[in-house]
């Protein structure tokens, strides 16, 4: 399916909950969020209907997100049901890893292809500080279990925050020397809670290349790839740099998003939404097509002066 800019849209990120068992400082308020009524979020059946309609339009790659998707009741059955949709080639999930030790084996058995794990520090004190309540050991155990059951490669998402984890860049990169793991450094985006942070919190991904000059650039692989890939000489794993601020990838963005309350967002950095929550199954294709065909050419965010997105990241989907 092509949008009006000629981009092939084949990737859907669908959030199954805005709830989370962490309170990451750039993602959601420390006090948490009011719990939505059950009727206000997508049911598992509605999620399946949306994915089925999207696949019918040419979507072949789906990522389950949150909030924290593993706190959603029925998540394993949902994954299994989605893998049965004819035409869906890749089903993945992004998690903070806290519950991954418990769920990894069942998710693998259900047919989930890949997992991305959010991890912004390798220091247990700093990890608890930015998550407000997280225990690093639980995440490390979840990563170990994901490896054990056969998820490969494991991808770790690291949001770069100036003055917080920029001194850990080399430590993250070194993990790739001994393990087939992909470290993905992501620039801090001015969304939700992060909009009020000082400009000093933003750190360009050029800081990674500056601190680790020995990284070797790799050829771009795959349609819609948003990460510039690198590796250390002789390393088993890779480094990915995702730079939505310093070097946006709008010209080959291949994705749309659906929020847990059923709003279609054709751009992460736009407040424009299309309501899918109350649509009949036979209306979904038309609404999804409308979203794809009105996808903007590019976002206009920067860290100084831009229209701010009204939702926190947990309300949109990571």
């Amino acid at each position: 399916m092509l949008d009006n800019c000629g981009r092939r849209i084949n990737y859907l990120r669908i959030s199954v909950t805005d709830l989370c068992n962490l309170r990451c400082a750039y993602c959601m308020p420390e006090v948490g969020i009011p719990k939505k009524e059950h009727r206000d979020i997508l049911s598992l059946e509605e999620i399946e209907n949306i994915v089925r309609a999207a696949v019918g339009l040419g979507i072949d790659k789906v990522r389950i997100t949150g909030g924290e998707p593993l706190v959603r009741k029925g998540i394993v059955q949902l994954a299994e049901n989605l893998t049965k949709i004819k035409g869906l080639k890749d089903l993945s999930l992004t998690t903070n890893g806290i519950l991954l030790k418990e769920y990894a084996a069942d998710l693998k058995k259900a047919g989930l292809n890949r997992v991305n794990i959010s991890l912004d520090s390798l220091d247990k004190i700093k990890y608890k500080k930015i998550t407000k309540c997280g225990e690093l050991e639980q995440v490390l155990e979840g990563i170990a279990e994901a490896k054990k059951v056969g998820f490969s490669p494991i991808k770790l998402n690291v949001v770069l925050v100036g003055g917080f984890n920029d001194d850990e860049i080399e430590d993250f990169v070194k993990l790739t020397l001994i393990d087939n793991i992909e470290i993905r450094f992501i620039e801090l985006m001015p969304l939700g809670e992060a909009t009020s942070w000082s400009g000093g919190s933003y750190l360009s991904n050029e800081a990674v290349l500056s601190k680790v000059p020995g990284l070797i650039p790799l050829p771009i692989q795959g349609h819609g790839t948003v990460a510039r890939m690198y590796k250390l000489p002789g390393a088993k794993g890779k480094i990915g740099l995702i730079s939505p601020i310093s070097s946006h990838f709008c010209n080959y963005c291949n994705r749309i998003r659906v929020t847990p309350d059923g709003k279609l967002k054709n751009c992460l950095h736009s407040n424009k939404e299309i309501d899918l929550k109350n649509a009949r199954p036979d209306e979904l294709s038309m609404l999804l097509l409308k979203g794809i065909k009105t996808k903007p050419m590019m976002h206009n965010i920067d860290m100084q002066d831009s229209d701010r997105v009204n939702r926190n990241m947990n309300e949109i989907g990571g």
Side-chain angles (χ1 to χ4, degrees), residues 47-58:
I47 292 171
E48 290 181 41
N49 287 338
I50 290 171
V51 172
R52 189 172 289 106
V55 172
L57 292 174

Side-chain angles (χ1 to χ4, degrees), residues 269-287:
H269 304 288
S270 171
N271 285 313
K272 294 181 179 179
E273 300 175 343
I274 297 174
D275 190 9
L276 306 180
K277 177 71 175 72
N278 299 310
R280 299 190 310 269
D282 61 347
E283 296 176 317
L284 289 172
S285 294
M286 176 190 67
L287 293 171

Side-chain angles (χ1 to χ4, degrees), residues 80-94:
E80 183 175 343
N81 292 350
L82 295 183
T83 62
K84 296 176 181 178
I85 296 177
K86 187 176 181 179
L88 180 59
K89 298 177 181 178
D90 184 78
L91 180 67
S92 57
L93 177 143
T94 295

Side-chain angles (χ1 to χ4, degrees), residues 11-280:
Y11 184 12
L12 168 66
R13 299 173 71 102
I14 189 161
S15 178
V16 297
T17 181
D18 59 346
L19 300 177
C20 188
N21 46 5
L22 298 180
R23 298 288 181 271
C24 293
Y26 54 78
C27 183
M28 64 192 301
E30 184 172 359
V31 295
I33 57 171
K35 187 173 182 179
K36 285 185 170 63
E37 295 290 336
H38 185 71
R39 64 177 179 271
D40 294 328
I41 65 169
L42 292 171
S43 68
L44 299 183
E45 181 181 7
E46 287 175 314
I47 292 171
E48 290 181 41
N49 287 338
I50 290 171
V51 172
R52 189 172 289 106
V55 172
L57 292 174
I59 296 292
D60 58 17
K61 179 179 179 181
V62 171
R63 177 173 294 275
I64 300 170
T65 70
E68 170 48 47
L70 297 187
V71 304
R72 178 70 192 261
K73 186 176 180 180
I75 189 65
V76 174
Q77 186 62 55
L78 173 65
E80 183 175 343
N81 292 350
L82 295 183
T83 62
K84 296 176 181 178
I85 296 177
K86 187 176 181 179
L88 180 59
K89 298 177 181 178
D90 184 78
L91 180 67
S92 57
L93 177 143
T94 295
T95 174
N96 60 34
I98 295 293
L99 298 174
L100 190 54
K101 181 180 180 180
E102 176 183 350
Y103 282 97
D106 289 339
L107 288 169
K108 183 66 175 176
K109 184 178 180 181
L112 190 76
N113 300 112
R114 294 177 293 112
V115 291
N116 284 24
I117 302 158
S118 300
L119 180 61
D120 297 327
S121 178
L122 297 170
D123 179 281
K124 63 181 182 180
I125 296 176
K126 290 167 66 176
Y127 180 78
K128 176 166 282 189
K129 179 180 179 181
I130 199 165
T131 62
K132 301 298 190 293
C133 56
E135 296 293 341
L136 178 62
E137 188 60 31
Q138 288 181 291
V139 184
L140 298 180
E141 289 176 353
I143 294 171
E145 186 66 18
K147 293 177 185 176
K148 179 181 176 181
V149 301
F151 285 115
S152 180
I154 299 292
K155 296 183 180 182
L156 301 187
N157 293 340
V158 184
V159 176
L160 279 179
V161 181
F164 173 73
N165 61 3
D166 46 323
D167 61 339
E168 296 187 70
I169 290 174
E170 294 97 328
D171 293 333
F172 275 109
V173 170
K174 287 177 183 177
L175 293 178
T176 66
L177 286 171
I178 58 175
D179 206 348
N180 180 24
I181 197 166
E182 184 177 315
I183 306 297
R184 296 154 55 92
F185 292 105
I186 304 171
E187 291 179 345
L188 179 67
M189 294 178 283
L191 291 169
E193 293 295 301
T195 60
S196 62
W197 289 21
S198 68
S201 297
Y202 166 73
L203 194 64
S204 165
N205 264 328
E206 292 301 314
V208 177
L209 300 178
S210 177
K211 284 181 175 287
V212 193
L215 287 173
I216 302 168
L218 300 174
I220 295 176
Q221 295 182 345
H223 165 70
T225 301
V226 301
R228 290 181 295 157
M229 301 304 300
Y230 298 81
K231 71 178 302 181
L232 288 172
K236 294 182 178 180
K238 301 175 183 177
I239 303 297
L241 303 185
I242 301 177
S243 310
I245 307 297
S246 66
S247 181
H248 70 77
F249 37 82
C250 301
N251 59 328
Y252 51 88
C253 179
N254 65 336
R255 65 196 59 189
I256 54 175
R257 297 169 183 263
V258 175
T259 66
D261 55 352
K263 303 300 189 294
L264 170 65
K265 294 180 72 72
N266 57 20
C267 177
L268 173 61
H269 304 288
S270 171
N271 285 313
K272 294 181 179 179
E273 300 175 343
I274 297 174
D275 190 9
L276 306 180
K277 177 71 175 72
N278 299 310
R280 299 190 310 269

